Amino acid sequence: MTDSTDNGGSGGLTHFDATGAAVMVDVSAKDVTERVAIAEARVRMAPETLAVVRRGDARKGDVIGIARLAGIMGAKRTADLIPLCHPLPLQSVTVDIEPDDALPGLTIRATARVTARTGVEMEALTAASVASLTVYDMLKAIDRGMTIEAVRLIEKRGGRSGHWTAPSLIPEP
């Protein structure tokens, strides 16, 4: 018998048993609570490419709208993409995509919500990642030099480990 119980955020690896074999964490003893995760990604592109997005002139269509939909669809398929990730009955997924002249590019922020025994960090990260990949796919004909950057968890709430917020990527003055 293998022990795959969650360690409640104590820092140990939870997806391996005592022999080192990969296992799905047993979350049956955890409380069902509301859980929220927010993830972010950035797609850096040439200023001319960002102008195409702003004007809505991309040959493949509405870049922001389609990327938003792809991110939501990706979050719903997370357990199919990430081994050992629990399938979750998502209650809400939102994907906000904002043009950012300072990058230049797009900042993507995905929020996932669930009431369950395990968190939704992977769903939020998957949503931000898939939305970013969709932006790249839709614009690669005009800008193959785009980069997908800073895919990261921004915040998580709920569950045994409570509330966590990532430090800013922008250094304090």
Side-chain angles (χ1 to χ4, degrees):
M1 170 129 179
T2 60
D3 179 11
S4 62
T5 55
D6 188 352
N7 67 7
S10 66
L13 297 176
T14 60
H15 287 83
F16 298 98
D17 68 12
T19 68
V23 295
M24 184 178 236
V25 174
D26 179 357
V27 296
S28 62
K30 294 172 80 175
D31 291 333
V32 174
T33 63
E34 181 182 33
R35 295 151 188 272
V36 178
I38 303 168
E40 184 178 81
R42 297 177 183 161
V43 182
R44 189 178 302 266
M45 59 189 66
E48 300 79 20
T49 306
L50 181 58
V52 168
V53 173
R54 285 186 182 277
R55 288 192 310 266
D57 290 348
R59 213 174 66 219
K60 289 188 173 184
D62 175 10
V63 173
I64 291 175
I66 294 170
R68 179 181 297 114
L69 182 58
I72 293 167
M73 292 173 69
K76 292 167 52 175
R77 300 301 303 249
T78 300
D80 294 331
L81 300 170
I82 309 293
L84 309 179
C85 190
H86 291 84
L88 294 176
L90 294 171
Q91 291 160 310
S92 172
V93 177
T94 59
V95 178
D96 298 312
I97 303 174
E98 295 295 328
D100 183 346
D101 292 321
L103 274 175
L106 300 173
T107 298
I108 299 165
R109 188 165 279 212
T111 303
R113 295 179 185 277
V114 70
T115 301
R117 295 181 191 279
T118 191
V120 288
E121 295 92 341
M122 296 310 300
E123 286 73 11
L125 285 162
T126 299
S129 298
V130 171
S132 299
L133 290 166
T134 302
V135 168
Y136 188 93
D137 179 57
M138 294 189 71
L139 297 170
K140 69 182 182 263
I142 59 173
D143 187 355
R144 291 199 187 272
M146 289 179 289
T147 58
I148 297 171
E149 306 173 353
V151 178
R152 68 190 192 122
L153 185 67
I154 298 294
E155 182 179 359
K156 62 90 49 201
R157 295 190 302 266
R160 203 179 316 169
S161 62
H163 187 216
W164 178 87
T165 304
S168 174
L169 286 178
I170 301 169
E172 296 295 322

